[in-house]
Amino acid sequence: MIIGSGFSSLSAACYLAKAGFDVSVYEKNDTVGGRARQLVKQGFTFDIGPSWYWMPDIFERFFNDFGKSTADYYKLDKLSPAYKIFFSDDVITIGDSMDKICAEFERIEAGSSAYLKKFIAKAQENYDIAINKIVYRPGLSPFELVTKDTALRVDQFFKTISGQVRKKFKNPKLIATLEFPVLFLGAKPSKTPSFYSFMNFADFGLGTWHPNGGMYKIIEGMKSLAEELGVRIHTGNAVEKILVEKGQATGIIVNNTSIKADFILSGADYHHSETLLDPEYRQYSEAYWDSKTFAPSSLLFYVGFNKKLQNIEHHNLFFDTDFERHAEEIYDRPKWPTEPLFYVNFPSVTDKSMAPEGYETGFFLVPIAPDLEDTPALRQQYFDIIIKRLEKRTKQKVEKNIIFKESFCVNDFKEQYNSYKGNAYGMANTLLQTAFLRPGLKSKKVKDLYFTGQLTVPGPGVPPSLISGKLVSELIEQKRTH
Ligand SMILES: Cc1cc2nc3c(=O)[nH]c(=O)nc-3n(C[C@H](O)[C@H](O)[C@H](O)COP(=O)(O)OP(=O)(O)OC[C@H]3O[C@@H](n4cnc5c(N)ncnc54)[C@H](O)[C@@H]3O)c2cc1C
């Protein structure tokens, strides 16, 4: 029995069904996908959450585990350029090869490409170690992190990515470019161990991809795979309680009806999942959760434009204000950002299916601290700020071409996903929130109760969620056979 239908739950559902379990999924929302659902409106298609397809090898590995490939479910394009970063006085374009990226680095800072090549070579080694030797381990013990390769790199767990980048690169724009990938892990680059530079290899080495039709194609593919394997999916069914008898999970209550199960796995936010238990069965206190570094929440806008926009790419980062100050306003002094950095995704630039002919689909994201006050007036205030910045940096007028917009923010994250403090992408990967130091996949207090998803192992993001589902299903299989 699985609670939730995000990437982690669907991944676990597929592995468990393949292993012969009778799997039922209960999802509170009307469609599957969790944070990765889809909004279709007036011919525009929006991915509600994730839009960056990084680490294509992990997606391939997932489908390969079932004798399939990604191509059986969706068509992938490598984006060229991968993305564009707008600064106040320049624009950096990240190409689809190291040669193009090196040329861009040289344009900004002569001599920087030699350092870049070394930095990415090291990042590639870390990627191989992380992906092939560490990340597929369940976080049960500190010894999982101890391998010959990590022992040689132990310093990289105590140095930060920020320190590492600043040692060799002096230009603030290049520093911001190299610090950007670890933002996906949910913490400040100055709090993220330098071992996570493998995200830089994912970025520059493996490239940025796009599934035709959007990220929701992956969810649709996983849903069909799960159903092919015999999984039954019940949407519009919020789980109200996890039943426990004498320390043993026995079932759930949905719509006032109790349903028995041998194993319960929750892919809903970990904090919420524990609130479905009677207090004596919860492993982590409110004080524990409150003391953790959570990934940011986000203010999101889904916008339909009735014209094609100029000077934009599929992915666009607006880093034209103070990166440090915005990061402090997320992590150190939580408040609405004074001058926000933001991200805009225009998938219709490369994929015609995402918008009506001659129109543009725009997804705007402003990262903000979790649990901030969220009102219609604040949302509008920030929309006005970012639209003006988009117009200024891309040198065009667009405001009058907006034919609709919808927004999503802290209150929606809480209401739609039972997200702790309205976090967008889980608990950050800092040194003290890595591997065995994260909330565990297996309950320590209730037998046969398990957890998966971005608040547990290995961490935030779509690829880690796929891996989380695999890891937890292996633990459940081991339990069955012992
Ligand atoms: C705005 C945004 C942008 C992102 N961008 C990227 C990106 O570009 N690339 C990337 O790799 N990652 C990105 N991420 C992160 C990525 O989307 C997540 O890490 C991943 O989707 C999390 O999956 P999950 O299975 O852990 O959780 P979720 O997707 O949250 O799934 C949990 C599910 O449980 C359900 N649920 C909750 N309570 C109950 C209940 N009581 N009963 C039944 N069901 C319940 C929820 O409705 C939800 O469907 C982004 C996330 C957001 C929000």
Side-chain angles (χ1 to χ4, degrees), residues 6-13 222 265 267 452-454 465-466 468-470:
F7 275 108
S8 61
S9 293
L10 289 177
S11 163
M222 292 176 73
L265 166 61
T452 184
Q454 56 182 358
S465 297
L466 296 180
S468 187
K470 178 172 182 155

Side-chain angles (χ1 to χ4, degrees), residues 281-478:
Y281 292 124
R282 298 176 193 166
Q283 307 162 87
Y284 304 104
S285 65
E286 288 298 324
Y288 168 89
W289 291 111
D290 194 44
S291 69
K292 296 291 155 192
T293 305
F294 267 78
S297 186
S298 303
L299 169 60
L300 308 171
F301 294 99
Y302 311 97
V303 185
F305 294 94
N306 68 2
K307 69 168 182 181
K308 294 304 275 181
L309 271 50
Q310 305 300 310
N311 306 322
I312 52 162
E313 297 295 345
H314 186 120
H315 294 291
N316 309 269
L317 299 168
F318 289 80
F319 283 4
D320 49 332
T321 55
D322 190 342
F323 190 106
E324 288 301 320
R325 176 151 80 167
H326 190 161
E328 276 168 25
E329 290 169 344
I330 293 175
Y331 296 103
D332 307 329
R333 291 175 287 113
K335 64 189 280 261
W336 278 88
T338 315
E339 287 188 302
L341 278 73
F342 61 101
Y343 157 64
V344 195
N345 174 239
F346 293 110
S348 46
V349 167
T350 60
D351 182 348
K352 286 195 171 57
S353 73
M354 303 296 286
E357 175 89 40
Y359 287 17
E360 212 84 84
T361 294
F363 162 92
F364 293 68
L365 184 157
V366 182
I368 55 170
D371 228 8
L372 290 185
E373 182 193 11
D374 171 15
T375 63
L378 275 162
R379 293 186 187 194
Q380 187 60 42
Q381 180 190 332
Y382 277 84
F383 186 70
D384 295 342
I385 294 174
I386 61 181
I387 278 292
K388 290 214 166 49
R389 291 251 303 282
L390 171 78
E391 289 186 332
K392 183 172 171 193
R393 296 292 166 218
T394 62
K395 304 183 175 59
Q396 65 196 313
K397 291 280 172 218
V398 299
E399 200 167 359
K400 296 216 161 54
N401 298 94
I402 295 173
I403 50 178
F404 75 84
K405 80 164 196 292
E406 286 200 8
S407 64
F408 197 100
C409 197
V410 174
N411 294 346
D412 302 296
F413 279 105
K414 290 181 184 171
E415 188 260 315
Q416 299 209 14
Y417 310 126
N418 289 318
S419 153
Y420 179 67
K421 293 188 178 176
N423 78 78
Y425 48 104
M427 216 173 99
N429 274 129
T430 60
L431 177 62
L432 296 177
Q433 296 181 181
T434 287
F436 65 99
L437 297 170
R438 296 179 70 78
L441 291 167
K442 183 176 183 316
S443 170
K444 293 191 244 359
K445 289 203 171 171
V446 179
K447 274 194 214 124
D448 298 332
L449 173 62
Y450 293 81
F451 302 87
T452 184
Q454 56 182 358
L455 273 74
T456 172
V457 178
V462 176
S465 297
L466 296 180
I467 295 171
S468 187
K470 178 172 182 155
L471 294 173
V472 78
S473 59
E474 285 169 355
L475 291 183
I476 296 173
E477 276 180 67
Q478 281 164 20

Side-chain angles (χ1 to χ4, degrees), residues 4 8 27-29 34-35 50-52 239 267 272 418 424 453-454 461-462:
S8 61
E27 165 57 52
K28 76 181 271 292
N29 290 323
R35 279 157 164 92
S51 54
W52 295 79
V239 174
H272 167 72
N418 289 318
Q454 56 182 358
V462 176

Side-chain angles (χ1 to χ4, degrees), residues 98-143:
M98 269 306 280
D99 285 348
K100 289 183 194 164
I101 300 168
C102 284
E104 189 68 338
F105 268 58
E106 282 297 316
R107 181 180 71 78
I108 305 287
E109 186 176 322
S112 60
S113 68
Y115 290 135
L116 179 66
K117 282 184 194 147
K118 279 191 202 144
F119 179 75
I120 294 296
K122 206 165 163 184
Q124 179 168 11
E125 283 172 18
N126 288 355
Y127 190 87
D128 290 339
I129 298 165
I131 302 306
N132 295 321
K133 302 198 177 124
I134 300 184
V135 84
Y136 283 92
R137 296 179 181 191
L140 298 179
S141 129
F143 296 108

